[in-house]
Amino acid sequence: MIIVERLREIVEGLGWVFHYGRQDFQNLVEASAEDDPLWYFFLSPVTTTYDYSVGGGFRSGEQYEGYFMILTKSDIDQEYDAQTGERTIDEGKWRQHILPKLQEIAGSFEKEIICSPDLILVYLRIIDAINQFDTNFDGIAVNFKIRKV
């Protein structure tokens, strides 16, 4: 199995835009408009580890580790969480761009992997991602480990 293609299938099935490659190439992606509502999934190169049986007789498993971001177009001047009081909490980056992605990854995305008969989700480590790339995307950055059954 090629995990990149499997993730592409899952992400596109969720209606998100999939991009694979190093971050310097991902930085070339531009939103279609200033108010672009699309969710972008940026997958960095994945490390594949093959496990072998004791004695090296046959391959006994595969594991995939990597990093991706789920981002949307944002305004670089937008407050993170109403720090200045000029905007409400609902107008901040946290509630508009980060929280929905945390909810989605704990919902549909996670479910797609967990319900897959040939994949085991080992972990997701998630952190906020703010003002990413020249386009100024906000969302979440995720380190992951998935094991093939």
Side-chain angles (χ1 to χ4, degrees), residues 24-78:
D24 52 332
F25 287 101
Q26 292 174 354
N27 190 39
L28 301 173
V29 174
E30 294 185 14
S32 61
E34 281 300 313
D35 59 349
D36 184 353
L38 295 175
W39 285 26
Y40 293 83
F41 185 97
F42 294 95
L43 177 64
S44 292
V46 176
T47 300
T48 302
T49 303
Y50 297 111
D51 301 321
Y52 291 90
S53 64
V54 176
F58 62 93
R59 187 183 301 167
S60 61
E62 290 178 30
Q63 298 182 77
Y64 313 102
E65 292 183 74
Y67 173 82
F68 62 81
M69 293 186 290
I70 304 171
L71 305 171
T72 50
K73 177 71 175 101
S74 66
D75 179 357
I76 195 167
D77 296 326
Q78 186 177 10

